[in-house]
Amino acid sequence: MDEESMWKGFYEKLQQQKSVEEQVHDSRIQEVDDSFFEKFGSILKQVSQKAALEESTPLAPLKEAEEQDGEQKAIDVSENQSVARDSDSGNETLLDTDSEPEDPEKVDFYVEAVGWNVDELYLEILYEILHNVGGCDVGCEVGQQAMLGYVQEAFKISNDKHTQLLTQAEAKEPPELMLNVEVVEGKDLVPKDPSGLSDPFVTIYLMSNTAHRYNTSVKSGTLNPTWEEHFSLPIPGNLQEDSLCLEVWDFDPAETVKEKMTKIFEVKGVKGLRKLMKEIAITASTGKHDNELIGTANIPLKSIPAGGMMMWLNLSKKSKLRRQGVLKARFSFSSEKNSQVAAQEHRHLLRILLLHELESSKVAPYWWCGNFSAAAEGILTQHAAQSGLSQLDNHLAQWSVFCAITTDHPLSFALFNGLLDKVTKALQSGLVNEEDVKLFWDGAKKLLPTCYSHIRKLRKKTAGDKTVMKTLREVLKILYKLSILDTPESIDLFPANLYGWLRDKDDGTKLTLHEVLNQAVIQGASDWFVHILDNNECKDKSEESRLQHLIRVIQLVRSDLQRAVEYFDRVFVEVMSYQYSRALYGVYEDKIASLVEPEVIQVCKSMKRLRYSEGSTNSVHLAGGLNGDTGLGAPEVGSEPLAMGTTLFELYLALQRFLTLGQGLNETDWNSYSISKFHSWFFGGVAQWLDIAAYKALTRIEKAVELDYLVPVDTNVKYSSSGVDTLAIFYQIKIFWQQLAWPDVEGCYTFVAKIVDDICRCCVFYSDRMANRVSSVGTVSTVYEERFEVTTDWCVAINNIDYVRQSLQPFVEELGMDDIIQKMCETRSPLEAQRCKETLQNVIANAIDTVKNKIVDLLEVMIKKMMPSITRFLIEGAELLHQDCSSMDRVMRYLEANLDTLYQHLNNENFSRTLDIVWEQLGEVLYELIQANLEHRRAKITRYIDPRRLTKSAAANLEAKRRPPSFFSNLHECLKIMVRSFRQDNKDIYTSDTLKRVEYLLNLHGLETRELIHQYHLERWQDQQSITEPKMGLLTVRAQFIEDSLKLEIMNARNLMPTDSNGLCDSYVRAALLPEDAFANVEKPKTQTHSKNLFPLYDEMFLISLNHEQRRIPDGLIHLVIKDKDMFSVSNTFVGEAYLHFSEIPDTPAPISSLPQQHLPLSRPATIDGDAIKALESRQGDKQAREFLKKQRQKMPSKQFFSLG
């Protein structure tokens, strides 16, 4: 579990488990600063998370604006919708703020239509109805009378005039029509040649005129021919009875028998061979070469609709039952009328009928998709057929008329898309004449304003509605299909009178449809932004209201962007490859930056800097150059900066989320946005917040310590409420900082450094306040004594300080310092980043050390309060250890009670620190007693204990200049008792070097004189081990244990010091076993004297018998002394001595000659600095000690002979 989860979980657990009393405690704590940290920490985070959740929730669709009498009804957002500051429903609608200029002269298309030779056109239509062509189209189903009635109603012709014109139409001759036939292709024809193929061609004729036949070309060697050939056949008067015949023949060329014989190798199968033989026989006998019929197809003329048709015809043959193949053909009717006149007539007819359809059906705007009534469809089909209009002519006429009509009577965009699909290919391939191309682009010029207006006013539509999304897709498809066509230079698609919002290009070139689309999107976004500002005015001019207004604007803008991302963006990208949301964001971010930046900078500048009163004895230097009072003095500031609201940072977080959206929309170039540096606007505000937070943290800490009952907050922990309250401050500051997510690495480092510095100071401040809180706790006075009792208050206070100290390092890690340093390495030099890192680490380390020292200081104060009782126990214990004494029981109970309190309530680390301090101070007391004994003075321990509170004998001991070994032995025993009392889990209870030294000295001074003498010899043996360059010579020996006997061979000596005037030496060696009292009955062997020789060769062997106990003495020594024999002196001269420890002697029955020689460096006592000799020197009343010291003086050089007294 990471630190964040651990803190959060613990914090929430405490919040859930808090009793009423604890909630009251929290309330009292937060009253100090009006929940300052909670507002900017967890509460602000919750508000931000709620806003982010609402922004990520799919929006409710916009309510579509209502239109009445051609005017759009605007919905006043400020009056009709009450939306909370932190919520955004996205239900606002855009006012119809179209920036296009209105055309004052609206054209009445009906008047224009009927004004064009209406009588002549009406007469023409009546004539065509009377002479209907085709037999299976809509016109036949409706009936002639219904069509006549419909056209009279559409043209608004009176009955009299209708009768007059109908009579004229009936008197006219029937029209001369042509049947147009296109033979397209054949499939699966029956083979007629020996090769298994055919050479097909088609013959076309009318049954009423079989003599007039039309033939296609011959397609050689195929069963699936393709012709695509056109024919026009005159139609007789009786159209209903006639039919068209299509015959498919196999062409048989005129060939001789010899030529046919050459095809023998092309024959396919037995059937083919039989055919070839039959052809050869016929040719040889008659010389004929007739074509062979493959199959025929008949189609009645009345089955061909007036609008024409394409169909597959089955080929049949009388003598054959199965199909002989299929033939694809297209049929249509036409006249010999002038094509331009016919197209113009058709456009006017189409306009009149469409206006009538719209008027009579009352169809909704953008709903009519090209479906005429049956009568209108029949009339239009007959006119197109009898006027000889091609389908392309018909589609171009529809495009021109529909584009003109949609300006005032909006038609379905899908209708225009369908027409574009039908004419685009012809326009791209150049099959349309110049006049029709101009007609097409004139229509597009009228349609485009409606398309772009729809895009600009998308916010009026119900986002997400299937119909709206389909309509948008259709509009974009229209723009795309028009964009891939070449626009004639003479056509100005975007006249200024229709596009008042459009800006021309700087280079003067024409705008493309994609460029106009981009401007339409930008203009729509700008209109929406103006609408937001107009309908969400700031209530008053206070800073709080202004900031709330900015937040509201950002939320509304973001809702529009979200709507674009969720609904519209995919359609724009799929159809036009246009990043709609990115374009909107580019508009909005610039406008928001222009609106927000000056406001935020002004608010941050207007904040008052904190200035604290001079002369406060409790002032604390805050990071950022402020000298801040700790809460005991009154800062010289008004309530405004200290009551800083969260609105400024709610605005920051709103901008942060807005920028995050932009980063997702434009991952590569978002740094170019004006809003990308929005954090820099808030620099002053964040710095001000940190100043305030530092001051309020100190005041809250002081209040937390004051309200702390020093009782653990939970049975599982050992710290109290003030520690939790202090960490809660850090936790809230961390939440605030993490929400900021400051992007600028240098500013980030500056703020984090300040936060770290302030938090460290808060820890030190908390330590001081907690120490002051318990400084007077624990003193107990009775008639007999005044003593200090360790209380749980002391333990909890120490644990609190340590708990806060331990939080420092994890807190800094949670601030993301490592990431900041890594970014600094990338943006600046690694050396500079490392220097910044070390600076922060030093700040943290210094704070941790300072707090740790505070803990140690507090522990030392506590132990010093305990030391009088501990010292009294030692002094009285040394005097009365083996006597019954009630004072001893009291002291032991005192120790046990206090140690138990410490062990139960301190954490393990602090308990160990406490013991270390106990031993350190105890070592100082004992060392002072030992030094006073050595220096023959009074012990200076009155700072630990009042002698008047000791027993008489113990007080007398303090006055005595010399203390017996029993005193130190008892003192050592008392120390052991204390050690056993403090020991836990059989571990070493102390690590104090002073106490280890003291224990050694107590043990030494408690020894008997004989034991001290042997300890001296052991120290001399240890010193001998460190000699690397023997200046007094070497003694070579061999020794071994054989069971309980010691065999010693003294071999030789080298480089002996000269002692005689002749520069030589008369030496001998004497061996003695130590300690002397243990080997009193053992002889001391001596070698022969070797005169005048500095390199004597002794070569003497000695066998010394020992008892079993003597053999097993652990620290036994062989003391080897070399002396110079003096014939005229009372005593011989000391040359040098060496020691051999029993542990260095092998226990083996092997011959001694096989053992290695041992070279022992010779030495003599040089000083009296050893601990053992000092202890002996202090025992001047002991005869054994005096005599031993006398012998040692004699071994020293003459200049060292001085009185040790």
Side-chain angles (χ1 to χ4, degrees):
M1 180 183 295
D2 58 6
E3 187 71 17
E4 165 74 15
S5 302
M6 188 262 294
W7 280 18
K8 185 176 181 181
F10 180 70
Y11 182 77
E12 292 176 349
K13 179 182 177 183
L14 287 180
Q15 295 296 323
Q16 294 171 1
Q17 295 180 351
K18 282 180 179 178
S19 62
V20 175
E21 182 178 339
E22 291 170 328
Q23 293 175 5
V24 171
H25 167 83
D26 285 354
S27 177
R28 293 178 65 187
I29 287 289
Q30 295 173 13
E31 284 175 358
V32 175
D33 48 35
D34 193 26
S35 301
F36 176 81
F37 294 100
E38 288 71 22
K39 286 180 180 177
F40 285 90
S42 53
I43 296 176
L44 181 60
K45 183 177 182 180
Q46 291 172 3
V47 170
S48 175
Q49 289 175 341
K50 180 181 178 184
L53 180 62
E54 290 176 349
E55 289 170 357
S56 63
T57 303
L59 297 171
L62 292 175
K63 182 179 179 182
E64 192 165 3
E66 298 177 2
E67 298 184 7
Q68 295 181 354
D69 299 329
E71 297 180 358
Q72 316 247 345
K73 181 181 179 182
I75 301 177
D76 190 344
V77 176
S78 60
E79 293 181 0
N80 296 341
Q81 299 186 12
S82 176
V83 184
R85 177 165 51 92
D86 59 350
S87 66
D88 183 12
S89 66
N91 288 332
E92 296 77 15
T93 56
L94 174 64
L95 290 171
D96 189 9
T97 54
D98 193 356
S99 50
E100 296 177 9
E102 296 293 334
D103 188 356
E105 298 180 2
K106 290 188 177 180
V107 179
D108 189 332
F109 286 98
Y110 184 79
V111 172
E112 181 190 19
V114 298
W116 183 84
N117 298 325
V118 62
D119 291 349
E120 290 80 356
L121 179 60
Y122 188 72
L123 179 62
E124 181 71 16
I125 299 303
L126 293 178
Y127 177 77
E128 292 171 352
I129 293 174
L130 292 175
H131 300 88
N132 203 352
V133 297
C136 60
D137 54 7
V138 179
C140 298
E141 297 176 1
V142 174
Q144 191 179 85
Q145 293 302 318
M147 294 174 69
L148 291 173
Y150 176 86
V151 74
Q152 181 184 358
E153 183 180 352
F155 275 75
K156 297 180 171 53
I157 299 295
S158 64
N159 291 332
D160 294 341
K161 191 154 191 175
H162 170 73
T163 302
Q164 177 188 348
L165 294 175
L166 180 61
T167 302
Q168 294 180 16
E170 290 173 343
K172 292 179 65 174
E173 293 291 330
E176 296 181 1
L177 297 178
M178 305 290 289
L179 174 62
N180 301 315
V181 180
E182 178 187 3
V183 180
V184 181
E185 61 179 327
K187 292 284 187 184
D188 302 329
L189 300 182
V190 174
K192 294 296 182 179
D193 292 338
S195 61
L197 300 175
S198 296
D199 304 320
F201 68 94
V202 181
T203 298
I204 308 168
Y205 60 91
L206 291 173
M207 295 299 292
S208 60
N209 187 10
T210 59
H212 196 175
R213 297 174 177 248
Y214 302 84
N215 294 326
T216 67
S217 60
V218 177
K219 301 297 179 182
S220 302
T222 178
L223 300 180
N224 299 293
T226 299
W227 289 282
E228 295 182 346
E229 297 181 16
H230 300 264
F231 304 92
S232 292
L233 285 72
I235 300 177
N238 191 3
L239 183 97
Q240 300 296 326
E241 301 298 331
D242 209 347
S243 62
L244 177 69
C245 183
L246 296 96
E247 296 177 346
V248 180
W249 293 82
D250 174 51
F251 178 72
D252 191 5
E255 294 176 327
T256 64
V257 173
K258 184 179 181 180
E259 289 174 338
K260 288 188 179 290
M261 288 296 293
T262 60
K263 295 182 179 180
I264 189 68
F265 299 105
E266 300 176 4
V267 173
K268 184 176 181 182
V270 177
K271 189 176 181 180
L273 180 61
R274 189 164 52 246
K275 284 186 177 182
L276 180 61
M277 292 298 103
K278 182 179 179 181
E279 289 180 5
I280 293 173
I282 294 173
T283 302
S285 60
T286 63
K288 294 182 179 179
H289 45 83
D290 295 334
N291 297 327
E292 188 175 359
L293 180 66
I294 295 176
T296 62
N298 289 303
I299 178 171
L301 296 187
K302 64 181 180 180
S303 66
I304 301 175
M309 68 175 182
M310 178 182 288
M311 64 183 300
W312 286 93
L313 304 173
N314 289 324
L315 299 177
S316 60
K317 196 173 183 181
K318 292 182 180 179
S319 60
K320 304 294 182 181
L321 296 177
R322 72 181 185 90
R323 190 178 67 182
Q324 302 297 296
V326 290
L327 182 67
K328 184 179 181 181
R330 178 184 286 112
F331 310 99
S332 63
F333 297 101
S334 65
S335 69
E336 297 179 358
K337 187 184 296 185
N338 180 275
S339 60
Q340 296 298 327
V341 174
Q344 186 170 333
E345 284 181 355
H346 194 72
R347 288 197 297 273
H348 286 286
L349 173 63
L350 186 62
R351 183 180 294 113
I352 291 173
L353 297 187
L354 176 57
L355 289 173
H356 177 68
E357 289 277 316
L358 295 174
E359 180 182 353
S360 59
S361 63
K362 305 294 182 183
V363 67
Y366 303 104
W367 199 257
W368 194 79
C369 56
N371 295 324
F372 284 94
S373 63
E377 187 70 34
I379 293 170
L380 290 170
T381 303
Q382 285 298 319
H383 185 269
Q386 297 187 35
S387 299
L389 295 179
S390 66
Q391 288 197 359
L392 178 60
D393 294 333
N394 195 12
H395 295 152
L396 286 173
Q398 291 177 353
W399 172 264
S400 175
V401 172
F402 293 166
C403 287
I405 293 294
T406 196
T407 305
D408 288 284
H409 300 274
L411 308 180
S412 170
F413 290 107
L415 173 64
F416 298 100
N417 250 316
L419 289 174
L420 278 174
D421 289 336
K422 296 171 182 177
V423 302
T424 299
K425 187 175 181 180
L427 289 168
Q428 289 176 328
S429 59
L431 300 178
V432 183
N433 60 49
E434 185 176 345
E435 286 190 18
D436 287 341
V437 169
K438 184 177 182 304
L439 185 71
F440 171 81
W441 283 108
D442 285 340
K445 184 175 177 180
K446 297 174 183 177
L447 175 63
L448 284 174
T450 305
C451 296
Y452 286 121
S453 177
H454 184 88
I455 291 172
R456 289 193 300 112
K457 299 176 184 179
L458 269 180
R459 294 161 189 85
K460 291 165 49 180
K461 308 301 178 183
T462 306
D465 181 79
K466 290 183 179 180
T467 303
V468 172
M469 300 307 295
K470 182 179 179 182
T471 301
L472 174 62
R473 187 178 291 273
E474 297 293 344
V475 169
L476 294 177
K477 282 183 178 180
I478 292 171
L479 296 179
Y480 172 75
K481 292 171 184 177
L482 289 175
S483 68
I484 62 176
L485 299 175
D486 295 329
T487 309
E489 287 294 328
S490 60
I491 299 296
D492 181 12
L493 277 182
F494 309 108
N497 65 319
L498 296 179
Y499 298 87
W501 46 272
L502 201 57
R503 295 183 179 181
D504 294 332
K505 295 170 69 173
D506 295 335
D507 57 5
T509 58
K510 288 186 177 182
L511 291 167
T512 66
L513 275 84
H514 279 86
E515 291 169 341
V516 177
L517 171 64
N518 184 58
Q519 290 199 37
V521 171
I522 292 174
Q523 184 62 43
S526 301
D527 292 343
W528 172 236
F529 193 80
V530 171
H531 164 73
I532 290 175
L533 296 180
D534 290 344
N535 291 274
N536 293 274
E537 295 182 356
C538 187
K539 297 179 180 178
D540 53 60
K541 298 303 179 181
S542 66
E543 288 185 357
E544 179 74 12
S545 296
R546 299 204 315 266
L547 294 177
Q548 290 180 359
H549 172 253
L550 295 177
I551 294 172
R552 177 62 179 156
V553 169
I554 294 171
Q555 289 173 335
L556 289 172
V557 167
R558 198 186 191 288
S559 73
D560 186 58
L561 279 169
Q562 184 185 347
R563 190 178 296 109
V565 171
E566 291 178 3
Y567 300 116
F568 303 133
D569 210 36
R570 181 171 56 87
V571 180
F572 275 90
V573 172
E574 289 178 0
V575 179
M576 294 293 291
S577 299
Y578 179 74
Q579 300 289 342
Y580 177 68
S581 298
R582 182 186 296 184
L584 290 185
Y585 190 89
V587 177
Y588 288 144
E589 68 87 17
D590 184 64
K591 292 185 177 296
I592 288 177
S594 301
L595 181 68
V596 176
E597 181 179 4
E599 286 284 352
V600 171
I601 293 176
Q602 179 61 35
V603 169
C604 291
K605 282 184 178 179
S606 66
M607 293 180 176
K608 299 177 182 178
R609 300 291 292 174
L610 295 182
R611 295 290 184 268
Y612 297 93
S613 57
E614 297 291 336
S616 172
T617 58
N618 295 297
S619 63
V620 173
H621 178 74
L622 298 178
L626 296 179
N627 289 324
D629 194 302
T630 62
L632 299 179
E636 298 175 356
V637 293
S639 60
E640 180 184 352
L642 294 182
M644 185 179 187
T646 61
T647 312
L648 180 64
F649 295 104
E650 289 182 41
L651 175 60
Y652 178 95
L653 296 177
L655 289 169
Q656 184 185 75
R657 294 191 299 273
F658 188 78
L659 178 59
T660 302
L661 177 61
Q663 291 170 339
L665 294 174
N666 190 0
E667 296 179 357
T668 58
D669 199 30
W670 64 268
N671 283 311
S672 62
Y673 290 145
S674 303
I675 205 172
S676 64
K677 306 295 182 185
F678 80 93
H679 59 276
S680 61
W681 313 338
F682 293 82
F683 191 93
V686 175
Q688 172 75 353
W689 187 89
L690 293 177
D691 287 344
I692 296 172
Y695 169 77
K696 289 185 177 290
L698 296 177
T699 56
R700 181 179 281 203
I701 287 172
E702 191 166 38
K703 187 67 173 179
V705 173
E706 177 188 334
L707 298 177
D708 194 352
Y709 293 110
L710 296 178
V711 176
V713 294
D714 191 81
T715 55
N716 299 321
V717 297
K718 296 184 178 181
Y719 44 82
S720 61
S721 62
S722 62
V724 176
D725 292 336
T726 302
L727 253 64
I729 297 172
F730 300 168
Y731 178 65
Q732 298 293 350
I733 292 175
K734 184 191 69 172
I735 291 177
F736 173 75
W737 174 247
Q738 289 177 339
Q739 287 185 94
L740 288 185
W742 197 266
D744 174 41
V745 64
E746 294 187 5
C748 201
Y749 174 80
T750 301
F751 289 139
V752 169
K754 176 172 173 52
I755 291 173
V756 170
D757 192 30
D758 289 345
I759 293 300
C760 291
R761 295 177 187 279
C762 287
C763 289
V764 175
F765 177 75
Y766 176 76
S767 304
D768 290 336
R769 286 294 178 267
M770 188 53 65
N772 293 338
R773 171 69 189 276
V774 296
S775 60
S776 59
V777 177
T779 303
V780 178
S781 298
T782 65
V783 177
Y784 303 100
E785 61 180 347
E786 179 179 310
R787 69 181 186 278
F788 171 77
E789 294 283 352
V790 176
T791 65
T792 57
D793 292 358
W794 279 87
C795 299
V796 173
I798 293 168
N799 290 337
N800 282 344
I801 298 172
D802 200 38
Y803 177 58
V804 173
R805 176 190 66 81
Q806 292 175 6
S807 71
L808 271 180
Q809 192 67 40
F811 175 78
V812 174
E813 292 174 0
E814 288 295 321
L815 290 178
M817 179 49 63
D818 291 340
D819 293 337
I820 296 173
I821 297 301
Q822 181 63 35
K823 290 178 181 177
M824 290 188 72
C825 288
E826 298 171 358
T827 57
R828 305 173 72 173
S829 67
L831 181 63
E832 189 172 357
Q834 183 63 26
R835 191 160 52 244
C836 293
K837 181 178 181 180
E838 291 173 355
T839 301
L840 274 185
Q841 288 176 340
N842 290 336
V843 171
I844 299 165
N846 291 338
I848 292 175
D849 290 342
T850 302
V851 176
K852 188 180 293 185
N853 292 336
K854 293 284 184 182
I855 296 174
V856 174
D857 292 345
L858 193 57
L859 290 172
E860 287 180 350
V861 170
M862 182 179 66
I863 300 306
K864 284 179 181 178
K865 291 177 178 288
M866 294 174 60
M867 281 311 296
S869 299
I870 297 174
T871 306
R872 182 168 67 251
F873 164 65
L874 287 173
I875 300 299
E876 293 182 352
E879 179 66 28
L880 308 169
L881 180 62
H882 301 294
Q883 304 175 25
D884 293 332
C885 179
S886 60
S887 63
M888 283 295 300
D889 293 337
R890 290 198 306 272
V891 173
M892 288 304 297
R893 286 196 300 271
Y894 169 78
L895 285 173
E896 290 176 0
N898 284 281
L899 289 177
D900 184 65
T901 300
L902 290 170
Y903 182 73
Q904 293 295 330
H905 294 91
L906 283 182
N907 58 37
N908 293 335
E909 184 179 359
N910 288 330
F911 183 66
S912 299
R913 287 179 188 160
T914 304
L915 295 184
D916 290 342
I917 296 172
V918 167
W919 300 130
E920 195 67 37
Q921 301 220 4
L922 191 59
E924 292 180 8
V925 172
L926 297 176
Y927 193 76
E928 174 60 26
L929 288 173
I930 297 171
Q931 287 300 109
N933 185 55
L934 293 176
E935 298 172 7
H936 309 162
R937 60 175 172 78
R938 178 188 178 89
K940 301 176 182 178
I941 59 173
T942 53
R943 66 192 180 106
Y944 297 110
I945 187 172
D946 185 356
R948 293 173 296 177
R949 296 190 177 276
L950 295 173
T951 62
K952 290 182 179 181
S953 58
N957 246 330
L958 289 179
E959 298 293 337
K961 293 184 178 180
R962 299 287 180 181
R963 296 172 181 82
S966 60
F967 174 80
F968 293 102
S969 178
N970 291 344
L971 203 58
H972 190 200
E973 191 64 31
C974 294
L975 178 61
K976 290 181 180 179
I977 294 174
M978 293 189 64
V979 169
R980 287 195 295 271
S981 300
F982 279 89
R983 188 179 298 275
Q984 52 177 337
D985 300 331
N986 297 321
K987 297 179 181 177
D988 292 338
I989 197 62
Y990 61 84
T991 58
S992 170
D993 294 334
T994 302
L995 194 59
K996 289 180 180 179
R997 171 74 176 160
V998 166
E999 189 174 12
Y1000 167 75
L1001 292 176
L1002 286 176
N1003 182 56
L1004 195 67
H1005 283 267
L1007 296 176
E1008 297 294 333
T1009 301
R1010 58 181 177 79
E1011 296 172 329
L1012 264 178
I1013 291 173
H1014 187 62
Q1015 183 65 31
Y1016 167 77
H1017 286 298
L1018 287 172
E1019 288 180 1
R1020 290 280 294 128
W1021 169 69
Q1022 290 172 347
D1023 292 341
Q1024 176 183 299
Q1025 308 304 310
S1026 62
I1027 297 175
T1028 57
E1029 297 181 2
K1031 296 180 180 180
M1032 305 189 73
L1034 282 173
L1035 177 63
T1036 303
V1037 299
R1038 278 197 287 235
Q1040 69 177 140
F1041 283 114
I1042 303 175
E1043 294 182 353
D1044 290 338
S1045 297
L1046 171 63
K1047 182 182 284 189
L1048 176 63
E1049 180 184 7
I1050 301 176
M1051 302 179 70
N1052 59 64
R1054 303 175 189 176
N1055 293 327
L1056 295 180
M1057 293 290 290
T1059 56
D1060 295 340
S1061 58
N1062 58 6
L1064 298 173
C1065 181
D1066 305 323
S1067 64
Y1068 67 91
V1069 180
R1070 182 178 293 280
L1073 301 183
L1074 302 176
E1076 289 185 5
D1077 58 322
F1079 298 96
N1081 61 343
V1082 178
E1083 62 175 330
K1084 300 178 180 179
K1086 173 180 172 293
T1087 67
Q1088 297 295 322
T1089 301
H1090 291 255
S1091 302
K1092 299 178 182 180
N1093 194 346
L1094 297 180
F1095 293 86
L1097 186 62
Y1098 301 110
D1099 280 340
E1100 296 186 34
M1101 187 81 69
F1102 303 97
L1103 184 63
I1104 304 172
S1105 299
L1106 305 174
N1107 59 36
H1108 186 72
E1109 288 75 17
Q1110 290 171 333
R1111 169 66 184 86
R1112 298 296 182 267
I1113 291 177
D1115 283 325
L1117 293 171
I1118 301 176
H1119 187 203
L1120 301 164
V1121 180
I1122 299 179
K1123 289 188 177 183
D1124 175 68
K1125 187 171 181 61
D1126 194 342
M1127 298 294 295
F1128 304 103
S1129 177
V1130 178
S1131 61
N1132 298 322
T1133 304
F1134 176 78
V1135 178
E1137 62 184 358
Y1139 296 90
L1140 188 62
H1141 198 280
F1142 277 13
S1143 64
E1144 298 175 315
I1145 301 172
D1147 188 349
T1148 175
I1152 196 169
S1153 59
S1154 66
L1155 300 178
Q1157 299 178 1
Q1158 292 181 296
H1159 304 286
L1160 307 177
L1162 297 173
S1163 64
R1164 64 174 58 184
T1167 63
I1168 56 171
D1169 290 338
D1171 294 325
I1173 200 131
K1174 285 183 178 181
L1176 287 168
E1177 191 265 349
S1178 67
R1179 301 180 182 185
Q1180 291 184 352
D1182 190 316
K1183 180 181 178 180
Q1184 184 182 7
R1186 289 199 307 272
E1187 290 178 353
F1188 178 77
L1189 288 172
K1190 182 179 179 181
K1191 290 180 181 179
Q1192 298 310 308
R1193 292 191 194 101
Q1194 292 173 354
K1195 295 179 182 180
M1196 295 180 184
S1198 59
K1199 63 180 182 179
Q1200 292 291 338
F1201 293 170
F1202 54 87
S1203 174
L1204 295 178

